[in-house]
């Protein structure tokens, strides 16, 4: 192979069941085939003990039933702290995915005669920051510079050339892959910077895909043979290995039959010599299945996908605040070739809206390659990919002394990314040396009702009264959806940060559950948040006036019989009593006296001027700035 390094950026669809690699040649995509001549490669990895090497693709898939160390669907555990065994060694999901990427790239390099070092890799729209980071890490392990992580539905829209449309469009992407089903609503608009692709809503099923449809055929064939010949195919065979071979062959034939049924009304499953010829039984098995029977067997699966379609549309309409008109439907995944997919979509949206102009197996990788060409400056136009945050992100701020923290949202849900937002906080205690920052994901105001996705500590804060230090907290979400949080003390420039790479994975169902809980508890949550803010204000003012009163008492001109001083003390005690009792209606009433208390304090200051060398530097003086807790010893794991 030529040692030259290609300057091009390849597009890779790192799929749950199959993967694909594509490069742009001019304005045309070129799918780079593997050594078997296949345009897609099974995302399967195993260890061949005889040859003592790792196998990827079709060779690994053939061993799925007979080799205990065959790894499939590794994408489903990306971002999780799990390990898989291969050849007696343990590998992370990133390392396994890197083997698939390395194989794809090696095949592509053989085709091109050049070394490939740069790639755009796709991920599902629902992937969170840890899953995206894990995908990027897999590319790095494989020796690639991952120029961009983009969403699969966005890539599909690019492949269909929807960026060429003259008007704004709303697109529904129906993605039925081998192991998962996803539906996304995209909006494509025009801007001075280029075409903007924004993911409005997503939904999906993590445990339903083409493999499940294949299994329905397997179950049907086993049942039919059992009725006709009194033979249980799954238990026949002299050894356990024989039975595993039977299962593998059944699966392979079922997949073939499914593909045949996409173009014919009937398919035959023919398996010569599947059973050892014992007991006088025929070693040949043959069964027929009609398309009508197949569709009846899988009707519940299709209904589940349409339920998710409706859910995505409802979520998009809720976000936009208006009814939605779908301009086009694009199909992704080989299983969308099943006629019943189109039948159901046509019944809901109309026939003309379904776009089938691109191979559904290759469409995502093609879109990634187009984005790669754009980034390399070879495509002649700009495309702005704008995704959104699935849930709000914030930090736990102390609501009041002795009270549970509140979720102070910094990046609201459905914020377009990339984005960066900053907020100023302060300390909760006098001379606080450090702050322990908990990064939260969720919609609820009470901190414990959300997920902790990261924690870190900022230390070295200069000793100051509570409320004086200014701590700048910045959330930055990059184009790949990866979150970085920094905290900096503006006085000392001390800085700490965290990249969220170990957050718990949230499925679409979990995301929707959290959103639903926030909706159902809206009134209660608003009351909690209002009371927390009220209590925090009251405690801040109590602290401020307590200090002022003590200062007045120590002053050389202090007169305890001063009417203004007595009135100030009276109002302070009333506020303090209500605050200690957490009597919110009374607190609200007493806070109406703050202006009068300020006026009395200022008049007293005129009579008893603040003595020199007293550090008044803010001293919380009525500041309502949010404060951060300082308990690094807290066991955050219990709150996750």
């Amino acid at each position: 192979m030529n040692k030259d390094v290609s300057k091009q950026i390849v597009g890779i669809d790192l799929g749950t069941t199959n993967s694909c690699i594509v490069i742009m040649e001019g304005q045309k995509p070129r799918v780079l085939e593997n050594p078997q001549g296949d345009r897609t490669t099974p995302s399967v990895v195993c260890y061949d003990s005889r040859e003592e090497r790792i196998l990827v693709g079709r060779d690994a898939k053939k061993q799925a039933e007979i080799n205990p160390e065959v790894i499939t669907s590794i994408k489903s555990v990306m971002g999780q702290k799990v390990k898989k065994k291969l050849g007696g060694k343990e590998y992370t999901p990133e390392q396994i995915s890197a083997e698939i990427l390395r194989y794809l790239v090696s095949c592509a390099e053989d085709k091109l005669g050049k070394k490939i070092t740069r790639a755009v890799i796709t991920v599902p729209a629902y992937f969170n920051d840890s899953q995206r980071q894990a995908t990027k890490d897999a590319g790095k392990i494989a020796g690639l510079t991952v120029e961009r992580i983009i969403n699969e539905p966005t890539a599909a829209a690019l492949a269909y050339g929807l960026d060429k449309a003259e008007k704004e469009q709303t697109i529904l992407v129906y993605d039925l892959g081998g192991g998962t089903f996803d539906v996304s609503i995209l909006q494509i608009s025009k801007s001075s910077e280029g075409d903007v692709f924004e993911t409005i809503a997503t939904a999906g099923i993590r445990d339903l895909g083409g493999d499940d449809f294949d299994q329905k055929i397997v179950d049907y064939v086993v049942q039919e043979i059992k009725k006709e010949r009194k033979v249980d195919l799954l238990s026949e065979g002299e050894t356990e290995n024989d039975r595993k071979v039977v299962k593998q062959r059944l699966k392979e034939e079922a997949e073939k039959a499914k593909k045949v049924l996409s173009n014919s009304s009937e398919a035959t499953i023919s398996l010569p010599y599947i059973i050892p010829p014992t007991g006088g039984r025929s070693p040949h098995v043959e069964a027929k299945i009609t398309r009508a029977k197949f569709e009846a067997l899988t009707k519940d699966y299709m209904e589940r996908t349409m339920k998710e379609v409706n859910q995505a549309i409802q979520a998009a309409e809720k976000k936009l605040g208006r009814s939605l008109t779908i301009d086009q439907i694009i199909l992704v995944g080989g299983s969308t070739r099943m006629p019943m997919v189109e039948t159901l979509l046509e019944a809901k949206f109309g026939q003309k809206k379904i776009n089938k102009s691109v191979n559904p197996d290759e469409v995502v990788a093609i879109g990634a390659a187009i984005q790669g060409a754009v980034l390399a400056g070879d495509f002649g136009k700009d495309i702005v990919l704008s995704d959104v945050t699935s849930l709000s992100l914030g930090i736990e701020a102390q609501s009041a002394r002795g009270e549970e923290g509140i979720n102070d949202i910094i990046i609201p849900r459905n914020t377009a990314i990339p984005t960066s937002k900053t907020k100023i906080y302060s300390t909760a205690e006098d001379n606080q040396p450090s702050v322990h920052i908990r990064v939260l994901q969720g919609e609820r105001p009470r901190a414990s009702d959300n997920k902790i996705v990261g924690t870190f500590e900022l230390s070295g804060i200069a000793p100051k009264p509570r409320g004086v230090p200014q701590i700048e907290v910045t959330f930055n979400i990059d184009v790949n959806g990866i979150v970085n949080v920094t905290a900096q003390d503006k006085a000392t420039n001390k800085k700490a940060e965290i990249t969220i790479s170990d957050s718990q994975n949230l499925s679409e169902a979990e995301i929707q559950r959290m959103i639903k809980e926030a909706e159902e508890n809206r009134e209660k949550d608003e009351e909690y948040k209002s009371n927390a803010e009220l209590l925090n204000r009251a405690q801040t003012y109590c602290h401020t006036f307590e200090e002022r009163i003590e200062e007045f008492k120590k002053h050389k001109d202090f007169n305890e019989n001063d009417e203004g001083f007595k009135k100030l003390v009276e109002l302070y005690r009333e506020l303090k009593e209500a605050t200690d009792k957490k009597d919110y209606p009374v607190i609200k009433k007493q806070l109406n006296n703050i202006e009068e208390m300020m006026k009395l304090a200022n008049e007293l200051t005129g009579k008893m001027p603040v003595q020199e060398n007293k550090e008044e530097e803010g001293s919380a003086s009525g500041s309502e700035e949010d404060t951060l807790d300082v308990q690094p010893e807290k066991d955050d794991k219990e709150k996750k």
Side-chain angles (χ1 to χ4, degrees), residues 57-66 248 252:
R58 192 201 290 184
D59 291 340
K61 186 177 180 181
K62 286 179 180 177
Q63 299 190 29
E65 291 295 335
I66 59 176
Q248 182 64 28
E252 291 171 358

Side-chain angles (χ1 to χ4, degrees), residues 552-564:
F552 291 142
K553 286 181 178 180
K554 294 175 183 177
H555 200 280
K556 59 183 179 64
D557 297 326
F558 173 64
N559 177 6
E560 62 179 292
N561 295 316
D562 187 286
E563 291 299 322

